[in-house]
Amino acid sequence: MKIAAIGGGVIGGGWIARFILNGHDVAIYDPHPEARRIVGEVMANAARARDKLFQAPLPEPGRLIWAGSIAEAVAGADYIQESVPERLDLKHRILAEIEAAAPARAIIGSSTSGFKPSELRQGAAHPDRILVAHPFNPVYLLPVVEVVGGGEAADRASALLAQVGMKPVTIAREIDAHIGDRLLEAVWREALWLVRDGIATTQEIDDIIRYGFGLRWAQMGLFETYRIAGGEAGMKHFLAQFGPALKWPWTRLMDVPDLDDALIDRIASQSDAQSGAHSIRELERIRDDNLVGIFHALKANDWGAGRTLREAENRLYKRQLAAPSTYPLMLHQARVGGSWVDYNGHMTEFRYLQVFGDATDAFLVHMGLDETWIARGFSAYTVETHIRHLAEIKAGEKLRVETRLLGHDAKRFRLHHRILRENDEEAATGEHMLVFVNTAEARSAPMPDQLVHRLDDIARLETGPIPEHAGAGIRTLRAREPAA
């Protein structure tokens, strides 16, 4: 699809990066004199983060097309993302220009953090297609997007955004600042008062969040966190125990401190002392690396944003099913983290099996044995494995896995993986026999014709020869005879 982006700042640049890195062409209009530099820097950080985030091969990036006008950018566009500054008069003017040149069915999403759809639609020729599509920074990593406006356009927008790895949350009733920013605003007001009253510094407040409840919020949100706090009696007990405290005079929530020069200087100086050793781009990369680590931890538990990542990766694996670009298959990649190395400074033994196991999981999705089959009570279990360790692998290295299908029958299939380093050196091989299983009955079963036919299609790509070591075990080594 063709995407148009009007505005390329922090949020607009993040949108552009997400769409382009998911294979879509993006036409952008932004008259800011530094727009090309800013978008280029955001794109570089986004590509770096997504390379670390995904283990599935990514599609070829789409093209970034700089347009000389709004009309040129939106011509022929299927989806248009507006990310101009938060001034309603400016947004009305920009939206009018978009409508004058965009195709009739093009969806227009606004990144506005505060305005309601009814406000954006004032004077519009086709108001129903103008929506709020409010993301969170960095847009290229954080999946949630608040979709406000309803109707067929909201349904189409949500489907499109899900395809680029986002988690659309449809808000049925419009409200100023939507949901996310209203929650953030409450915390922000309290934090400003705490600094204003000399209770805490910016760093102390950030430490309490990032070392405390922020870690819980990152993977469970607010209500589920408090449900656990209620113990075995659950949410009802929590509300009964802590609800009365809401009437105590703890909060300054409905009062806003005067952001005079003194308070602004205090906050700015504390923030400089806290973070000024790093440039903004360095802070973005540190943030992105931390987010990638959290995503991977959540993915291992198939939870929250990690499930969104897994679903996005599975779409990438399936994408290659229709027309694999190369054979042997290249379905999986990995980055060696610091926790993966042993006392020798090399990737430890069980991580080799993890990489091969993840590559096998990727092949299962590629052959069509995905979550729909799992839900129906079928899967494939590994019954035999042989790994050869051929080269040292160190922390930080990026690995690719080459996969071949060496054979299959009605119940079994035999895979061969090679771990390749960035210079194409072979670092390890893994050979694995898998059997199709009826999980409800805990026994092997014949594969459905649909899966057998997909294996047949992959097998036709295999021209051999089979590696000499395939099918072999550990070489015989006899015990030494004791000395006379």
Side-chain angles (χ1 to χ4, degrees):
M1 290 191 306
K2 181 183 176 184
I3 308 295
I6 309 303
V10 173
I11 298 299
W15 275 116
I16 292 164
R18 180 174 280 274
F19 284 122
I20 285 180
L21 293 176
N22 278 277
H24 297 292
D25 293 343
V26 178
I28 173 177
Y29 174 73
D30 189 329
H32 193 285
E34 295 292 318
R36 291 178 183 251
R37 176 187 62 80
I38 293 170
V39 171
E41 291 177 353
V42 172
M43 281 292 304
N45 276 356
R48 172 184 176 276
R50 283 177 64 83
D51 182 57
K52 292 186 173 198
L53 180 65
F54 281 98
Q55 296 179 323
L58 295 170
E60 284 295 313
R63 296 176 301 152
L64 176 60
I65 305 163
W66 287 94
S69 66
I70 289 176
E72 181 183 343
V74 304
D78 300 291
Y79 182 84
I80 302 155
Q81 189 69 36
E82 169 270 304
S83 304
V84 302
E86 287 285 281
R87 292 195 350 249
L88 189 57
D89 61 330
L90 175 62
K91 288 187 179 291
H92 281 160
R93 180 169 62 80
I94 296 299
L95 290 171
E97 289 191 51
I98 291 172
E99 280 210 291
R105 277 185 54 80
I107 301 169
I108 305 170
S110 175
S111 299
T112 178
S113 58
F115 295 125
K116 301 188 292 290
S118 59
E119 294 173 309
L120 298 174
R121 291 168 172 172
Q122 291 169 4
H126 305 284
D128 288 349
R129 65 174 177 167
I130 299 175
L131 306 168
V132 167
H134 175 237
F136 291 82
N137 186 40
V139 185
Y140 53 78
L141 275 179
L142 296 185
V144 77
V145 53
E146 298 174 312
V147 179
V148 194
E152 184 262 350
D155 293 339
R156 284 198 291 136
S158 295
L160 181 154
L161 295 171
Q163 287 299 312
V164 294
M166 302 203 81
K167 175 70 174 176
V169 176
T170 303
I171 300 174
R173 292 176 57 187
E174 65 174 27
I175 186 173
D176 291 325
H178 325 310
I179 294 175
D181 280 349
R182 291 178 75 93
L183 295 170
L184 288 173
E185 181 76 5
V187 177
W188 178 236
R189 286 172 186 257
E190 291 290 345
L192 289 177
W193 276 117
L194 291 169
V195 175
R196 162 68 172 75
D197 294 342
I199 306 298
T201 66
T202 59
Q203 180 162 347
E204 289 165 347
I205 292 169
D206 283 352
D207 284 349
I208 288 170
I209 294 173
R210 66 192 183 116
Y211 290 105
F213 59 82
L215 293 172
R216 300 183 310 197
W217 285 4
Q219 44 91 35
M220 268 191 181
L222 181 65
F223 283 95
E224 203 153 36
T225 293
Y226 284 157
R227 177 182 178 84
I228 293 172
E232 293 182 358
M235 179 61 83
K236 185 174 289 188
H237 175 69
F238 173 82
L239 292 173
Q241 184 174 8
F242 295 101
L246 296 175
K247 296 182 179 180
W248 297 351
W250 282 356
T251 183
R252 303 287 293 268
L253 188 59
M254 301 311 296
D255 194 7
V256 183
D258 182 15
L259 282 172
D260 56 21
D261 291 343
L263 181 54
I264 291 173
D265 289 344
R266 182 188 301 181
I267 293 173
S269 63
Q270 290 181 6
S271 179
D272 289 344
Q274 175 184 349
S275 309
H278 301 285
S279 71
I280 292 299
R281 297 299 173 228
E282 288 172 335
L283 286 173
E284 287 176 345
R285 290 190 287 272
I286 292 168
R287 174 204 63 193
D288 291 352
D289 288 349
N290 291 335
L291 285 172
V292 166
I294 292 171
F295 271 111
H296 284 163
L298 293 173
K299 177 189 165 191
N301 289 327
D302 194 31
W303 190 263
R307 180 173 295 172
T308 303
L309 172 59
R310 183 183 298 280
E311 291 169 351
E313 283 192 327
N314 285 351
R315 284 194 295 271
L316 292 170
Y317 293 138
K318 291 177 182 178
R319 182 182 61 87
Q320 297 193 9
L321 179 62
S325 56
T326 59
Y327 191 88
L329 300 169
M330 291 290 187
L331 299 177
H332 181 68
Q333 60 189 21
R335 178 81 64 173
V336 181
S339 63
W340 284 29
V341 298
D342 60 16
Y343 54 88
N344 292 314
H346 306 149
M347 189 165 82
T348 195
E349 284 183 342
F350 76 91
R351 295 295 185 180
Y352 287 83
L353 181 57
Q354 177 180 329
V355 173
F356 286 133
D358 289 343
T360 296
D361 289 347
F363 180 85
L364 296 181
V365 176
H366 179 75
M367 66 174 274
L369 186 51
D370 57 16
E371 62 275 3
T372 58
W373 286 103
I374 305 297
R376 292 164 61 182
F378 297 99
S379 187
Y381 292 172
T382 301
V383 294
E384 189 172 353
T385 294
H386 180 215
I387 295 177
R388 297 162 66 236
H389 302 267
L390 306 175
E392 301 171 354
I393 300 175
K394 298 183 179 180
E397 290 197 52
K398 184 179 178 182
L399 309 175
R400 295 177 294 117
V401 182
E402 176 190 274
T403 300
R404 295 171 63 181
L405 175 65
L406 297 187
H408 68 288
D409 58 22
K411 291 186 177 181
R412 302 171 300 170
F413 50 99
R414 178 183 171 202
L415 299 180
H416 183 273
H417 299 305
R418 295 171 69 218
I419 293 179
L420 303 175
R421 306 172 80 173
E422 289 190 82
N423 63 359
D424 288 335
E425 177 186 5
E426 184 179 66
T429 66
E431 189 177 359
H432 313 269
M433 183 70 77
L434 290 95
V435 62
F436 189 75
V437 172
N438 182 321
T439 57
E441 299 178 7
R443 62 175 178 81
S444 64
M447 280 185 279
D449 289 343
Q450 177 183 352
L451 298 179
V452 174
H453 293 332
R454 290 181 178 180
L455 289 175
D456 290 340
D457 290 340
I458 297 171
R460 279 190 277 272
L461 302 172
E462 176 60 61
T463 59
I466 292 177
E468 292 183 5
H469 60 267
I474 296 177
R475 289 173 293 180
T476 301
L477 185 63
R478 297 184 181 279
R480 291 179 60 183
E481 293 292 333

